Amino acid sequence: MTENAAPAAAPAVLCEKRGHALWVILNRPDKRNAINKEVVAGIREGWRRAHADPEVRVIVLTGAGDKAFCAGGDLQPGAGFAFDLSRPNIDYADLLREVQNATLPSIARINGTCMAGGIGLLCMTDMAIAAEQVQFGLPEVKIGLFPMQVLSLLQDLVPRRVLREWCLSGEPFGAAEAHAAGLLNHVVPAAELDAKTQWLVDRVADKSPTALRRGKYAMRAMAAMSFDEGIAYTESQIALLAMTEDAREGLAAFNEKRRPVWTGR
């Protein structure tokens, strides 16, 4: 670096491999980890990187620092709400699409404030753990907007009347209410957040990668099916899964009373 060169800006998203988990960390703590185009691109790259690495079995999404997981879209002019109306797709929506079609399990570690588009990031993961002091909210109506894209995922997770209150009032709510409504799997004291996250990572990472991959694929496909369509679909899926190397290894390990050695095939 030359004497007058400006220091390189920190990446908006960090990726850290920890054992069989890839941690995707929103890295704008001074902006409460608000979403901008760099954050969206960084999260998408993290998911792609995880899927390209056969050693990765679970993704953890979290925010840097202890103040915020994600406060939503960056409201600075041109930062988070700069739309190119000539394009039918919005980058944030494409991120939600991509993660919904992903085949690796994912966990949201909610370390601080989670608002607006941050709740969309929470909803796109498979499981979520939050520190008990975290405040949540969908405050878009307070600035003349509405949580449109977040609704596409949130409406399948929480009861309809709860959803309407959160969206229409725009008022914050706590982790206990979020847990009671089904938005979170676990709520723990802040000092226990890392241990609980690792506990859940470990519970997932030692399972068959093939079963998890095909299972996630099936759950996604079945979301739009009737019971009759779903049961017919799963008849074929269980037959295919039974022919994989992981299924053969799992059955052999069970009968031989040993831990399975997964190949992910």
Side-chain angles (χ1 to χ4, degrees), residues 26-35 63-64 67-73 112-115 135:
L26 280 60
N27 190 39
R28 304 183 73 212
D30 57 320
K31 300 293 186 182
R32 301 173 73 210
N33 296 320
I35 300 167
K67 302 298 183 184
F69 168 73
C70 177
T113 299
C114 183
M115 299 281 172
Q135 287 289 295

PDB file of all heavy atoms in Angstrom, residues 26-35 63-64 67-73 112-115 135:
ATOM      1  N   LEU A  26     -22.698 -11.068   8.839  1.00  0.00           N
ATOM      2  CA  LEU A  26     -22.914  -9.702   8.374  1.00  0.00           C
ATOM      3  C   LEU A  26     -21.931  -8.800   9.110  1.00  0.00           C
ATOM      4  O   LEU A  26     -21.890  -8.799  10.346  1.00  0.00           O
ATOM      5  CB  LEU A  26     -24.350  -9.256   8.642  1.00  0.00           C
ATOM      6  CG  LEU A  26     -25.423  -9.740   7.653  1.00  0.00           C
ATOM      7  CD1 LEU A  26     -25.518 -11.258   7.608  1.00  0.00           C
ATOM      8  CD2 LEU A  26     -26.777  -9.147   8.002  1.00  0.00           C
ATOM      9  N   ASN A  27     -21.148  -8.020   8.367  1.00  0.00           N
ATOM     10  CA  ASN A  27     -20.007  -7.332   8.960  1.00  0.00           C
ATOM     11  C   ASN A  27     -20.091  -5.812   8.799  1.00  0.00           C
ATOM     12  O   ASN A  27     -19.150  -5.159   8.364  1.00  0.00           O
ATOM     13  CB  ASN A  27     -18.709  -7.869   8.325  1.00  0.00           C
ATOM     14  CG  ASN A  27     -17.474  -7.379   9.045  1.00  0.00           C
ATOM     15  OD1 ASN A  27     -17.458  -7.286  10.277  1.00  0.00           O
ATOM     16  ND2 ASN A  27     -16.437  -7.040   8.296  1.00  0.00           N
ATOM     17  N   ARG A  28     -21.245  -5.269   9.188  1.00  0.00           N
ATOM     18  CA  ARG A  28     -21.399  -3.801   9.206  1.00  0.00           C
ATOM     19  C   ARG A  28     -21.917  -3.375  10.588  1.00  0.00           C
ATOM     20  O   ARG A  28     -22.977  -2.746  10.702  1.00  0.00           O
ATOM     21  CB  ARG A  28     -22.365  -3.349   8.119  1.00  0.00           C
ATOM     22  CG  ARG A  28     -22.007  -3.789   6.705  1.00  0.00           C
ATOM     23  CD  ARG A  28     -23.003  -3.230   5.698  1.00  0.00           C
ATOM     24  NE  ARG A  28     -22.809  -1.806   5.503  1.00  0.00           N
ATOM     25  CZ  ARG A  28     -23.795  -0.946   5.221  1.00  0.00           C
ATOM     26  NH1 ARG A  28     -25.053  -1.356   5.154  1.00  0.00           N
ATOM     27  NH2 ARG A  28     -23.540   0.333   5.042  1.00  0.00           N
ATOM     28  N   PRO A  29     -21.201  -3.704  11.649  1.00  0.00           N
ATOM     29  CA  PRO A  29     -21.723  -3.426  12.990  1.00  0.00           C
ATOM     30  C   PRO A  29     -21.985  -1.940  13.246  1.00  0.00           C
ATOM     31  O   PRO A  29     -22.889  -1.597  14.005  1.00  0.00           O
ATOM     32  CB  PRO A  29     -20.637  -3.971  13.922  1.00  0.00           C
ATOM     33  CG  PRO A  29     -19.403  -4.035  13.085  1.00  0.00           C
ATOM     34  CD  PRO A  29     -19.868  -4.341  11.700  1.00  0.00           C
ATOM     35  N   ASP A  30     -21.207  -1.066  12.592  1.00  0.00           N
ATOM     36  CA  ASP A  30     -21.423   0.375  12.776  1.00  0.00           C
ATOM     37  C   ASP A  30     -22.725   0.835  12.133  1.00  0.00           C
ATOM     38  O   ASP A  30     -23.250   1.906  12.470  1.00  0.00           O
ATOM     39  CB  ASP A  30     -20.249   1.158  12.197  1.00  0.00           C
ATOM     40  CG  ASP A  30     -20.009   0.860  10.718  1.00  0.00           C
ATOM     41  OD1 ASP A  30     -20.130  -0.318  10.321  1.00  0.00           O
ATOM     42  OD2 ASP A  30     -19.723   1.800   9.962  1.00  0.00           O
ATOM     43  N   LYS A  31     -23.256   0.035  11.200  1.00  0.00           N
ATOM     44  CA  LYS A  31     -24.540   0.326  10.542  1.00  0.00           C
ATOM     45  C   LYS A  31     -25.612  -0.660  11.005  1.00  0.00           C
ATOM     46  O   LYS A  31     -26.615  -0.848  10.339  1.00  0.00           O
ATOM     47  CB  LYS A  31     -24.392   0.242   9.021  1.00  0.00           C
ATOM     48  CG  LYS A  31     -23.381   1.205   8.441  1.00  0.00           C
ATOM     49  CD  LYS A  31     -23.827   2.648   8.591  1.00  0.00           C
ATOM     50  CE  LYS A  31     -22.855   3.586   7.876  1.00  0.00           C
ATOM     51  NZ  LYS A  31     -23.253   5.002   8.056  1.00  0.00           N
ATOM     52  N   ARG A  32     -25.405  -1.273  12.153  1.00  0.00           N
ATOM     53  CA  ARG A  32     -26.325  -2.273  12.713  1.00  0.00           C
ATOM     54  C   ARG A  32     -26.560  -3.413  11.714  1.00  0.00           C
ATOM     55  O   ARG A  32     -27.626  -3.981  11.629  1.00  0.00           O
ATOM     56  CB  ARG A  32     -27.635  -1.620  13.142  1.00  0.00           C
ATOM     57  CG  ARG A  32     -27.452  -0.526  14.190  1.00  0.00           C
ATOM     58  CD  ARG A  32     -28.718   0.218  14.463  1.00  0.00           C
ATOM     59  NE  ARG A  32     -29.655  -0.577  15.230  1.00  0.00           N
ATOM     60  CZ  ARG A  32     -30.975  -0.467  15.154  1.00  0.00           C
ATOM     61  NH1 ARG A  32     -31.521   0.394  14.296  1.00  0.00           N
ATOM     62  NH2 ARG A  32     -31.770  -1.205  15.897  1.00  0.00           N
ATOM     63  N   ASN A  33     -25.493  -3.715  10.959  1.00  0.00           N
ATOM     64  CA  ASN A  33     -25.530  -4.804   9.962  1.00  0.00           C
ATOM     65  C   ASN A  33     -26.680  -4.655   8.969  1.00  0.00           C
ATOM     66  O   ASN A  33     -27.289  -5.649   8.544  1.00  0.00           O
ATOM     67  CB  ASN A  33     -25.572  -6.163  10.668  1.00  0.00           C
ATOM     68  CG  ASN A  33     -24.319  -6.424  11.475  1.00  0.00           C
ATOM     69  OD1 ASN A  33     -23.208  -6.113  11.040  1.00  0.00           O
ATOM     70  ND2 ASN A  33     -24.481  -6.965  12.674  1.00  0.00           N
ATOM     71  N   ALA A  34     -26.969  -3.408   8.610  1.00  0.00           N
ATOM     72  CA  ALA A  34     -28.047  -3.136   7.664  1.00  0.00           C
ATOM     73  C   ALA A  34     -27.726  -3.700   6.289  1.00  0.00           C
ATOM     74  O   ALA A  34     -26.562  -3.818   5.890  1.00  0.00           O
ATOM     75  CB  ALA A  34     -28.290  -1.624   7.576  1.00  0.00           C
ATOM     76  N   ILE A  35     -28.772  -4.028   5.562  1.00  0.00           N
ATOM     77  CA  ILE A  35     -28.644  -4.678   4.254  1.00  0.00           C
ATOM     78  C   ILE A  35     -28.402  -3.638   3.160  1.00  0.00           C
ATOM     79  O   ILE A  35     -29.162  -2.671   3.020  1.00  0.00           O
ATOM     80  CB  ILE A  35     -29.913  -5.470   3.929  1.00  0.00           C
ATOM     81  CG1 ILE A  35     -30.164  -6.547   4.994  1.00  0.00           C
ATOM     82  CG2 ILE A  35     -29.829  -6.102   2.548  1.00  0.00           C
ATOM     83  CD1 ILE A  35     -31.549  -7.155   4.911  1.00  0.00           C
ATOM     84  N   GLY A  63     -24.719 -11.864  12.840  1.00  0.00           N
ATOM     85  CA  GLY A  63     -24.223 -10.516  12.636  1.00  0.00           C
ATOM     86  C   GLY A  63     -23.008 -10.256  13.500  1.00  0.00           C
ATOM     87  O   GLY A  63     -22.862 -10.821  14.582  1.00  0.00           O
ATOM     88  N   ALA A  64     -22.129  -9.388  13.027  1.00  0.00           N
ATOM     89  CA  ALA A  64     -20.949  -9.010  13.799  1.00  0.00           C
ATOM     90  C   ALA A  64     -21.358  -8.103  14.960  1.00  0.00           C
ATOM     91  O   ALA A  64     -22.343  -7.369  14.884  1.00  0.00           O
ATOM     92  CB  ALA A  64     -19.946  -8.287  12.902  1.00  0.00           C
ATOM     93  N   LYS A  67     -24.770  -5.840  19.115  1.00  0.00           N
ATOM     94  CA  LYS A  67     -25.896  -4.907  19.115  1.00  0.00           C
ATOM     95  C   LYS A  67     -27.011  -5.326  18.160  1.00  0.00           C
ATOM     96  O   LYS A  67     -28.190  -5.157  18.461  1.00  0.00           O
ATOM     97  CB  LYS A  67     -25.420  -3.496  18.752  1.00  0.00           C
ATOM     98  CG  LYS A  67     -24.355  -2.919  19.667  1.00  0.00           C
ATOM     99  CD  LYS A  67     -24.858  -2.774  21.084  1.00  0.00           C
ATOM    100  CE  LYS A  67     -23.780  -2.127  21.965  1.00  0.00           C
ATOM    101  NZ  LYS A  67     -24.217  -2.050  23.384  1.00  0.00           N
ATOM    102  N   ALA A  68     -26.623  -5.836  16.994  1.00  0.00           N
ATOM    103  CA  ALA A  68     -27.632  -6.117  15.970  1.00  0.00           C
ATOM    104  C   ALA A  68     -27.278  -7.353  15.162  1.00  0.00           C
ATOM    105  O   ALA A  68     -26.113  -7.564  14.799  1.00  0.00           O
ATOM    106  CB  ALA A  68     -27.790  -4.928  15.031  1.00  0.00           C
ATOM    107  N   PHE A  69     -28.293  -8.157  14.900  1.00  0.00           N
ATOM    108  CA  PHE A  69     -28.204  -9.200  13.872  1.00  0.00           C
ATOM    109  C   PHE A  69     -28.320  -8.528  12.517  1.00  0.00           C
ATOM    110  O   PHE A  69     -27.434  -8.602  11.679  1.00  0.00           O
ATOM    111  CB  PHE A  69     -29.317 -10.219  14.082  1.00  0.00           C
ATOM    112  CG  PHE A  69     -29.500 -11.183  12.934  1.00  0.00           C
ATOM    113  CD1 PHE A  69     -28.581 -12.191  12.708  1.00  0.00           C
ATOM    114  CD2 PHE A  69     -30.598 -11.079  12.084  1.00  0.00           C
ATOM    115  CE1 PHE A  69     -28.747 -13.080  11.646  1.00  0.00           C
ATOM    116  CE2 PHE A  69     -30.777 -11.958  11.028  1.00  0.00           C
ATOM    117  CZ  PHE A  69     -29.846 -12.968  10.804  1.00  0.00           C
ATOM    118  N   CYS A  70     -29.422  -7.829  12.316  1.00  0.00           N
ATOM    119  CA  CYS A  70     -29.631  -7.035  11.107  1.00  0.00           C
ATOM    120  C   CYS A  70     -30.814  -6.114  11.339  1.00  0.00           C
ATOM    121  O   CYS A  70     -31.907  -6.574  11.673  1.00  0.00           O
ATOM    122  CB  CYS A  70     -29.883  -7.931   9.900  1.00  0.00           C
ATOM    123  SG  CYS A  70     -30.247  -7.009   8.391  1.00  0.00           S
ATOM    124  N   ALA A  71     -30.588  -4.816  11.148  1.00  0.00           N
ATOM    125  CA  ALA A  71     -31.638  -3.823  11.392  1.00  0.00           C
ATOM    126  C   ALA A  71     -32.514  -3.577  10.176  1.00  0.00           C
ATOM    127  O   ALA A  71     -33.336  -2.668  10.181  1.00  0.00           O
ATOM    128  CB  ALA A  71     -31.006  -2.511  11.850  1.00  0.00           C
ATOM    129  N   GLY A  72     -32.350  -4.385   9.132  1.00  0.00           N
ATOM    130  CA  GLY A  72     -33.152  -4.204   7.926  1.00  0.00           C
ATOM    131  C   GLY A  72     -32.356  -3.532   6.828  1.00  0.00           C
ATOM    132  O   GLY A  72     -31.127  -3.507   6.852  1.00  0.00           O
ATOM    133  N   GLY A  73     -33.062  -2.974   5.873  1.00  0.00           N
ATOM    134  CA  GLY A  73     -32.406  -2.320   4.746  1.00  0.00           C
ATOM    135  C   GLY A  73     -31.719  -1.040   5.154  1.00  0.00           C
ATOM    136  O   GLY A  73     -32.201  -0.310   6.032  1.00  0.00           O
ATOM    137  N   GLY A 112     -28.573  -9.856  18.192  1.00  0.00           N
ATOM    138  CA  GLY A 112     -29.016  -8.511  18.542  1.00  0.00           C
ATOM    139  C   GLY A 112     -30.228  -8.127  17.722  1.00  0.00           C
ATOM    140  O   GLY A 112     -30.860  -8.976  17.080  1.00  0.00           O
ATOM    141  N   THR A 113     -30.548  -6.853  17.716  1.00  0.00           N
ATOM    142  CA  THR A 113     -31.740  -6.335  17.054  1.00  0.00           C
ATOM    143  C   THR A 113     -31.970  -6.969  15.678  1.00  0.00           C
ATOM    144  O   THR A 113     -31.050  -7.078  14.865  1.00  0.00           O
ATOM    145  CB  THR A 113     -31.601  -4.810  16.882  1.00  0.00           C
ATOM    146  OG1 THR A 113     -31.491  -4.204  18.174  1.00  0.00           O
ATOM    147  CG2 THR A 113     -32.800  -4.235  16.163  1.00  0.00           C
ATOM    148  N   CYS A 114     -33.216  -7.370  15.448  1.00  0.00           N
ATOM    149  CA  CYS A 114     -33.590  -8.013  14.185  1.00  0.00           C
ATOM    150  C   CYS A 114     -34.870  -7.354  13.688  1.00  0.00           C
ATOM    151  O   CYS A 114     -35.947  -7.585  14.235  1.00  0.00           O
ATOM    152  CB  CYS A 114     -33.784  -9.513  14.394  1.00  0.00           C
ATOM    153  SG  CYS A 114     -34.174 -10.433  12.883  1.00  0.00           S
ATOM    154  N   MET A 115     -34.750  -6.529  12.675  1.00  0.00           N
ATOM    155  CA  MET A 115     -35.874  -5.740  12.198  1.00  0.00           C
ATOM    156  C   MET A 115     -36.047  -5.877  10.682  1.00  0.00           C
ATOM    157  O   MET A 115     -35.087  -6.142   9.958  1.00  0.00           O
ATOM    158  CB  MET A 115     -35.661  -4.258  12.531  1.00  0.00           C
ATOM    159  CG  MET A 115     -35.558  -3.936  14.004  1.00  0.00           C
ATOM    160  SD  MET A 115     -37.192  -3.901  14.786  1.00  0.00           S
ATOM    161  CE  MET A 115     -36.738  -3.735  16.520  1.00  0.00           C
ATOM    162  N   GLN A 135     -34.679  -7.575  20.425  1.00  0.00           N
ATOM    163  CA  GLN A 135     -35.931  -6.968  20.001  1.00  0.00           C
ATOM    164  C   GLN A 135     -36.118  -7.201  18.502  1.00  0.00           C
ATOM    165  O   GLN A 135     -35.182  -7.060  17.707  1.00  0.00           O
ATOM    166  CB  GLN A 135     -35.932  -5.469  20.289  1.00  0.00           C
ATOM    167  CG  GLN A 135     -36.069  -5.129  21.773  1.00  0.00           C
ATOM    168  CD  GLN A 135     -37.474  -5.427  22.287  1.00  0.00           C
ATOM    169  OE1 GLN A 135     -38.450  -4.805  21.872  1.00  0.00           O
ATOM    170  NE2 GLN A 135     -37.569  -6.382  23.208  1.00  0.00           N
TER     171      GLN A 135
END
